[in-house]
Amino acid sequence: MNIYRSKSSFFVKIITVIAMILLSFVALTLLITNKDYGLIGGTVLSLLTIGTILYFFANSLNRVILEKDKVILKKTFGQITIPFSEIKEIKKLEYSNLSMTYGSRGVFGFIGNTMDDSISFVKDRKQMFQIITDNKKYVLSSENSTELINEIKNVVQQGL
């Protein structure tokens, strides 16, 4: 079993900190000034904001674990298991701006769905790679992504 950590790039860290500060300031302002929105409106908007932040935090990728017959994408809460038998292709992606249909554009990473129907768990756009399975596509990042890609390719080729 090999473990590859997924660490946030400097850009993701800065965006996350700035977003947290701004959202905290907005929520606090709504709760304190409550003239336009009222206490209930401020509370509801604050809860929605906190819920959104928690959702992206919970879905951020922490590590990629390679076991003998599967790849495990370990998120903060939960995991996704991809059997090697379902992997059709794995490839390194170049640094790019991810076009998201919905999701986080830097807060805790680029988490959500991309324009090409991939599920994105990218924390460092310089270390991106894509796993294409029978049913889904995943865009991920991890430290030593080249080594991880080569290891998965070797296992998948041996299984064929």
Side-chain angles (χ1 to χ4, degrees), residues 71-86:
V71 177
I72 299 173
L73 309 179
K74 186 73 174 148
K75 303 184 291 182
T76 304
F77 294 107
Q79 66 185 26
I80 297 171
T81 302
I82 306 170
F84 284 125
S85 61
E86 291 183 10

Side-chain angles (χ1 to χ4, degrees), residues 48-93:
L48 285 172
T49 302
I50 291 168
T52 302
I53 290 169
L54 288 175
Y55 173 78
F56 289 121
F57 173 70
N59 281 302
S60 65
L61 184 66
N62 286 338
R63 57 191 169 273
V64 178
I65 303 169
L66 297 183
E67 292 189 349
K68 64 179 183 175
D69 60 344
K70 62 189 168 204
V71 177
I72 299 173
L73 309 179
K74 186 73 174 148
K75 303 184 291 182
T76 304
F77 294 107
Q79 66 185 26
I80 297 171
T81 302
I82 306 170
F84 284 125
S85 61
E86 291 183 10
I87 296 176
K88 293 185 345 187
E89 183 180 358
I90 182 167
K91 61 184 174 181
K92 178 96 169 130
L93 299 176

